[in-house]
Amino acid sequence: VAAEPKVTTMRQAIAELVRDGDTVAIEGFTHLICFAAGHEIIRQRKRDLTLCRLTPDVIYDQMVGAGVARRLVFSWLGNPGVGSLHAIRRRVERADPAPLEIEEYSHFGMVCRYVAGASRLPFFPIRSYFDSDLPKANPRIVPIESPYGGETLYAVPPLNPDVTIVHSQRADASGNTQIWGLLGCQKEAAFAADRVIVVCEELVEEATIRQDPNRTVLPGLVVDAVVVEPKGCHPSYAQGYYDRDNRFYLDWDRIARDPQKLEAWLEEWVHGLESHAEYVDKLGADRWAELVPGEAWSDPVNYGQYA
Amino acid sequence: VSDGHGYSAAEMMIVASARQLEGERVCFVGVGPPNIACNLAKRTVAPELELVYESGVFGAVPARLPLSIGDPTLVSGSLQVTSMFELFAFYLQAGLIDVGFLGASQIDRFGNINTTVIGGYDNPTVRLPGSGGACEIAINARKVFVIMPQSARSFVPRIDFRTSPGHPAGGRPQGWLGSGPSVVVTGLGVYRFDDRSGEMHVASLHPGITPEEVRQNTGWDLKVPEAAERTPPPTAEELRLIREELDPQGAYTK
């Protein structure tokens, strides 16, 4: 059976695969956070999403500020290296302009929720949460006795997103996906999901993937759509392609403190643009030039030829 | 801001923290002051120190000051990049981490830490970031070092939420790999914990800090000896490393 072509636009991928009320994970630990996908979800005015991420980061502050989310599942709520996420805090602290449901874990708890989800297990046991108030705040974190006796552990429930979105350095048209640099928990979050959108900096031939199979994080088998979106992580980064734009993370602190400024930012940078390509242009060549890293290549390895 | 000694309070905190790492091997690093302290220790008292970041990096050699724990400079030149599952399961939960650094918004006399909320959980006055990896670090790192600002609002008799456990009454039960917080470094002094009672006591006060200042900035009746030990001030070489190599912009140390 010929596979359906998977390469599509961000607009079409989000329109077809992200539905109102879905549980959505755009993962990536500081690295490879797909802001382009978040912006398209905002642009299409999706509603009532449950957003999952270890670190909601500026991307979810923008999405929560834009009103796409009803619920947030997370383990560390901050603007990394800067401070707070003000749009989320307004909703949590003052229900302003509406309440936001939260479901909170630790990092290891969230990671193991994806592992349980990807493995189709009913729970995952970890050695954490002893004498912490987190299980009181979140009754889904449950103490369990080891079936082999002798100790108490804590169980976390599986997390199976409706949609997981993974940004990568490169992928082929079937969705075979390679990542280097920080790996976060994208593999676990993707295998746990019903639907997977892979976004890549570069679309490559399958032969390129096959030259270096150890670098493959996801097989096309679990991928539903492939979107080519260069610079799609800004202000997050793609290792070896562009650096994190720390200036934007600092700017966001000022923008997000004021709901009117936040609204104006969304109008100018999301709703007012047709696509991420326009966003890239609007940022300007000078800004991008600041973000180009130096080079640090690895030596090739010999996989051997066994014909 | 210099406090008149030729170095800032932040520099004193970083230097005092770095010295505590003498002889340590594997350290779970945080961003900001802990990162500078660990890199300073690697250049001074702990050359064998391996820097581990919860983002999934083992053996990092940051070429610039990382602005977050996911900075790309941590990856380039490191010994290994792991998934977060491997890092938390095979390294931290398996007991390979000798020292974990934690920050805190509130701490109590037993080293219990709050980084979740000020006020009630369901109606917080201030929503703080939450655990991140802190809860499992507090339980599974062999030792825990805390770096935090000290005031009567942060050194409190009762924390509003226990994100990360310290020393429970009666000692740590079986199943906890780590021995809990061993040292707290603030802008005023260095504190340690009594092996039996698990209670915090003064190890040393930084130069120029009076016992009265420490009492005023502690929310419980901490005993502060009038003749408390003194933290040796930063050496010229420690200050040079911080200012020229580790934080030349003074992002965390001015």
Side-chain angles (χ1 to χ4, degrees):
Chain A
V1 183
E4 300 245 327
K6 293 180 185 173
V7 178
T8 182
T9 60
M10 186 68 86
R11 178 183 293 177
Q12 197 162 1
I14 299 298
E16 288 179 5
L17 295 174
V18 179
R19 296 154 201 167
D20 286 352
D22 272 357
T23 296
V24 176
I26 305 176
E27 270 297 345
F29 196 88
T30 316
H31 181 214
L32 295 175
I33 303 171
C34 193
F35 276 73
H39 292 172
E40 186 57 32
I41 288 171
I42 293 171
R43 204 177 278 124
Q44 294 187 18
R45 300 185 193 276
K46 303 287 184 186
R47 287 294 177 266
D48 295 324
L49 302 179
T50 293
L51 295 178
C52 312
R53 262 183 71 78
L54 271 62
T55 59
D57 205 276
V58 164
I59 179 67
Y60 280 7
D61 209 37
Q62 292 175 347
M63 294 171 76
V64 166
V68 306
R70 179 179 58 82
R71 184 177 180 83
L72 185 66
V73 183
F74 70 97
S75 45
W76 192 85
L77 189 67
N79 179 340
V82 178
S84 288
L85 297 173
H86 299 287
I88 293 173
R89 272 185 63 182
R90 273 194 294 279
R91 287 186 59 173
V92 173
E93 291 171 5
R94 307 202 298 272
D96 172 15
L100 181 69
E101 297 168 26
I102 60 170
E103 184 178 337
E104 179 167 9
Y105 297 85
S106 60
H107 277 350
F108 192 36
M110 275 294 281
V111 168
C112 290
R113 293 197 64 199
Y114 287 129
V115 172
S119 315
R120 271 59 184 180
L121 285 170
F123 63 88
F124 203 90
I126 65 175
R127 194 173 278 118
S128 186
Y129 302 123
F130 304 128
D131 221 27
S132 166
D133 286 337
L134 278 163
K136 291 178 206 158
N138 179 355
R140 303 192 75 195
I141 303 170
V142 181
I144 51 163
E145 293 302 314
S146 163
Y148 303 102
E151 69 175 318
T152 301
L153 301 162
Y154 274 83
V156 291
L159 177 49
N160 291 102
D162 295 307
V163 189
T164 290
I165 300 172
V166 171
H167 198 101
S168 64
Q169 279 101 337
R170 65 190 186 193
D172 69 17
S174 309
N176 298 302
T177 302
Q178 297 192 329
I179 288 177
W180 54 99
L182 298 181
L183 301 168
C185 52
Q186 284 97 309
K187 178 189 282 193
E188 294 82 353
F191 274 94
D194 283 350
R195 307 186 283 278
V196 175
I197 301 172
V198 162
V199 185
C200 60
E201 291 291 317
E202 296 186 71
L203 189 69
V204 296
E205 295 298 320
E206 185 179 307
T208 304
I209 302 289
R210 289 185 183 278
Q211 275 184 11
D212 195 5
N214 273 109
R215 219 184 300 276
T216 304
V217 168
L218 296 177
L221 180 70
V222 299
V223 175
D224 298 281
V226 177
V227 176
V228 187
E229 197 73 273
K231 301 186 169 72
C233 297
H234 180 273
S236 169
Y237 71 97
Q239 186 89 26
Y241 285 68
Y242 45 92
D243 200 352
R244 186 175 189 256
D245 190 349
N246 203 58
R247 179 146 60 102
F248 185 88
Y249 279 83
L250 293 165
D251 287 347
W252 184 253
D253 186 73
R254 180 178 48 76
I255 295 164
R257 276 175 197 275
D258 178 346
Q260 290 183 327
K261 281 188 184 147
L262 190 154
E263 190 58 40
W265 187 89
L266 289 172
E267 277 307 315
E268 181 179 355
W269 288 90
V270 182
H271 294 299
L273 304 177
E274 289 285 310
S275 66
H276 189 73
E278 288 189 14
Y279 172 100
V280 171
D281 283 346
K282 187 174 163 64
L283 266 176
D286 290 349
R287 185 73 168 257
W288 285 110
E290 290 171 23
L291 302 176
V292 179
E295 295 187 358
W297 296 90
S298 67
D299 289 337
V301 297
N302 177 18
Y303 277 94
Q305 180 59 260
Y306 302 95
Chain B
V1 179
S2 172
D3 62 0
H5 296 268
Y7 53 85
S8 68
E11 285 171 331
M12 184 70 253
M13 276 173 76
I14 287 163
V15 165
S17 306
R19 291 172 184 159
Q20 302 291 329
L21 285 165
E22 183 166 357
E24 301 293 355
R25 183 80 171 81
V26 183
C27 180
F28 216 94
V29 188
V31 76
N35 174 70
I36 301 173
C38 294
N39 280 282
L40 179 62
K42 195 169 167 62
R43 286 163 171 79
T44 52
V45 296
E48 302 295 309
L49 198 65
E50 297 289 6
L51 307 182
V52 184
Y53 289 80
E54 69 183 10
S55 52
V57 181
F58 179 79
V61 284
R64 68 178 184 198
L65 180 66
L67 291 172
S68 75
I69 47 175
D71 194 300
T73 193
L74 301 173
V75 167
S76 300
S78 68
L79 289 175
Q80 191 192 10
V81 176
T82 78
S83 69
M84 290 185 75
F85 178 77
E86 280 182 63
L87 195 85
F88 277 99
F90 303 165
Y91 285 84
L92 180 62
Q93 187 169 263
L96 296 181
I97 305 297
D98 296 323
V99 178
F101 267 92
L102 296 180
S105 297
Q106 292 180 327
I107 193 167
D108 68 17
R109 67 174 78 194
F110 298 108
N112 296 297
I113 286 173
N114 174 20
T115 54
T116 301
V117 285
I118 302 298
Y121 184 78
D122 293 321
N123 53 344
T125 314
V126 181
R127 176 63 227 200
L128 301 165
S131 167
C135 183
E136 39 265 0
I137 292 169
I139 289 165
N140 293 310
R142 298 287 177 180
K143 297 177 198 168
V144 173
F145 289 7
V146 183
I147 302 189
M148 62 184 293
Q150 182 176 349
S151 74
R153 286 166 51 190
S154 65
F155 269 47
V156 294
R158 285 182 65 91
I159 57 178
D160 292 359
F161 188 95
R162 190 185 300 167
T163 314
S164 307
H167 299 287
R172 292 193 148 202
Q174 275 191 314
W176 301 35
L177 277 183
S179 56
S182 63
V183 61
V184 179
V185 178
T186 75
L188 303 183
V190 178
Y191 305 86
R192 295 189 165 280
F193 294 85
D194 185 79
D195 284 343
R196 286 182 53 199
S197 69
E199 194 167 336
M200 197 188 297
H201 60 81
V202 175
S204 67
L205 302 187
H206 298 334
I209 303 298
T210 65
E212 184 53 27
E213 272 180 272
V214 173
R215 283 185 213 107
Q216 281 175 1
N217 287 287
T218 304
W220 68 88
D221 55 341
L222 179 71
K223 286 181 195 65
V224 190
E226 286 304 317
E229 293 279 317
R230 287 287 162 179
T231 315
T235 65
E237 176 61 4
E238 285 165 336
L239 290 174
R240 188 194 68 76
L241 286 165
I242 291 173
R243 292 171 187 177
E244 292 180 17
E245 295 185 20
L246 298 173
D247 188 13
Q249 310 292 326
Y252 297 104
T253 48
K254 272 182 181 156

